[in-house]
Amino acid sequence: MTTNCSFQGVDKLMEPLQLIIYVPIFVLGTVLNTLALIVFCFVFRKWTESTIYMTNLALMDLLLLAPLPFKMHATNHSWHAQYSTHCSFLEGLYFVGMYGSIYTIACIAVDRWVAICHPFRAKQLRSPRMALGTCVGIWLLVLVATSPVYGFREQGNEDFYCFRKFSEKGWNPALIGCLLSFGFLGPAMVLVVCSAQAILALRQSGQESPKRRTCVMIIYSSLFAFLVPFTPSHVGILLQFLVHQGVIEDCMAKTKISLLLQVTMSLSNITSCLDAFCYYFIASEVRNSKQRISFRLSRSMSHRKATSTSVC
């Protein structure tokens, strides 16, 4: 990126704005996700596919929130050069939490789609052990995929601002292409397609029930928790990549894109709070299951009830 365009105004604006965004997200997100872990781990002692995925999602959200105090500190304070490795570690944790949440939500959508749209095969494809294995796979995938973060920050002897101004290595076309394709677009398409087909199948069942309504609300809450925080931030990443590639050269456009990226990346942390909607509906579903509330998709599918009782 050319250096003849000043971003001091953007940085000055973001200093108080990031604190305004981060403080309530950190407090609320930490409380909600901690409560979710307590409920899923100690209140609902029966591990189902849904509770396993939601526990993993809560862990990812807490991992996403963990670096926020350091981000808040780095907003107004530079770090000594000797803390460069510590900064890279925190940045790595942040991206593990973010993309771990993305893949967990996508896997929840696939699991739900299998249970609703392919109930006969669900007995072979769905199980708590399979869900646990999938979550372990997500952790391994995001840990490996985010490892390049440790090379984004240039080593030097000067003080620096953590979570800001990556080196040009971080804007490598192949890296950004993989990030946008496999980190966002791929999971987003999986989520949207699976959710749309699941909602259609539920609505075509023609029979209202508390469980069916709860399941539909879980699907909508997952879509909301995914698309609202992550779509603007990845659009900002794409635009900033175009700036680094010299496609966008106008100084005013560059400053607006820089502001857009920082604001949307800050707001993307709100996913840790929005996931609470999913936790609420899952908790309601588990509670209703304990009370043996029946759920049938349609008369023709009534004999498949045992397969679909833990759909959501």
Side-chain angles (χ1 to χ4, degrees):
M1 185 190 304
T2 57
T3 58
N4 59 351
C5 189
S6 175
F7 296 91
Q8 291 182 356
V10 174
D11 293 338
K12 188 175 181 180
L13 174 62
M14 288 305 301
E15 288 179 1
L17 187 58
Q18 283 183 329
L19 293 178
I20 294 172
I21 295 173
Y22 286 152
V23 171
I25 288 177
F26 177 76
V27 174
L28 186 60
T30 301
V31 171
L32 291 175
N33 286 281
T34 301
L35 288 175
L37 284 179
I38 293 173
V39 170
F40 290 133
C41 294
F42 299 105
V43 178
F44 300 145
R45 297 185 178 182
K46 183 180 179 180
W47 289 100
T48 66
E49 297 85 356
S50 297
T51 55
I52 290 173
Y53 282 122
M54 287 299 166
T55 299
N56 191 67
L57 183 59
L59 289 173
M60 289 295 184
D61 285 341
L62 287 174
L63 193 64
L64 176 66
L65 292 168
L68 287 192
F70 300 95
K71 291 191 71 175
M72 286 186 276
H73 179 271
T75 300
N76 299 310
H77 302 86
S78 61
W79 290 20
H80 295 300
Q82 65 189 47
Y83 296 114
S84 177
T85 303
H86 298 78
C87 176
S88 295
F89 174 73
L90 292 170
E91 291 169 342
L93 286 183
Y94 180 78
F95 286 110
V96 166
M98 175 181 292
Y99 290 100
S101 297
I102 286 176
Y103 270 89
T104 301
I105 295 174
C107 287
I108 291 172
V110 173
D111 177 76
R112 187 182 302 119
W113 170 75
V114 170
I116 295 175
C117 299
H118 301 281
F120 285 130
R121 299 184 62 186
K123 288 184 177 181
Q124 290 76 36
L125 298 177
R126 298 179 73 243
S127 68
R129 180 177 296 181
M130 182 70 69
L132 181 60
T134 301
C135 291
V136 172
I138 291 173
W139 279 92
L140 294 175
L141 175 63
V142 295
L143 285 171
V144 172
T146 57
S147 59
V149 172
Y150 293 94
F152 287 178
R153 191 158 299 283
E154 295 179 344
Q155 301 293 329
N157 298 320
E158 298 181 356
D159 292 352
F160 67 97
Y161 286 91
C162 192
F163 293 96
R164 289 164 57 182
K165 297 180 180 179
F166 289 137
S167 69
E168 287 300 321
K169 295 179 182 179
W171 298 101
N172 180 277
L175 186 63
I176 296 299
C178 290
L179 174 71
L180 295 176
S181 300
F182 301 106
F184 175 70
L185 289 177
M189 291 180 62
V190 169
L191 175 66
V192 171
V193 171
C194 290
S195 298
Q197 292 188 5
I199 292 173
L200 182 62
L202 288 169
R203 288 181 173 175
Q204 287 179 342
S205 65
Q207 182 178 359
E208 285 289 338
S209 71
K211 187 177 178 72
R212 189 180 79 91
R213 289 192 295 270
T214 300
C215 196
V216 172
M217 291 304 299
I218 293 173
I219 296 172
Y220 278 125
S221 63
S222 296
L223 282 168
F224 186 74
F226 185 103
L227 297 177
V228 170
F230 296 126
T231 301
S233 61
H234 285 82
V235 170
I237 291 174
L238 175 60
L239 293 175
Q240 188 73 331
F241 168 72
L242 296 178
V243 170
H244 279 265
Q245 294 300 306
V247 177
I248 299 176
E249 298 181 348
D250 180 70
C251 183
M252 182 175 293
K254 288 181 179 181
T255 55
K256 289 182 179 180
I257 290 172
S258 178
L259 179 61
L260 172 68
L261 178 61
Q262 293 187 57
V263 170
T264 54
M265 287 297 293
S266 299
L267 290 174
S268 66
N269 298 287
I270 202 173
T271 184
S272 59
C273 301
L274 296 179
D275 288 336
F277 290 102
C278 303
Y279 304 148
Y280 171 78
F281 291 120
I282 286 291
S284 299
E285 173 60 25
V286 174
R287 185 173 61 251
N288 291 339
S289 295
K290 289 184 176 183
Q291 297 171 352
R292 297 182 179 180
I293 295 180
S294 62
F295 173 57
R296 299 183 180 183
L297 294 178
S298 64
R299 291 181 179 178
S300 62
M301 295 175 62
S302 60
H303 62 286
R304 308 174 192 174
K305 177 182 176 183
T307 303
S308 59
T309 50
S310 60
V311 167
C312 299

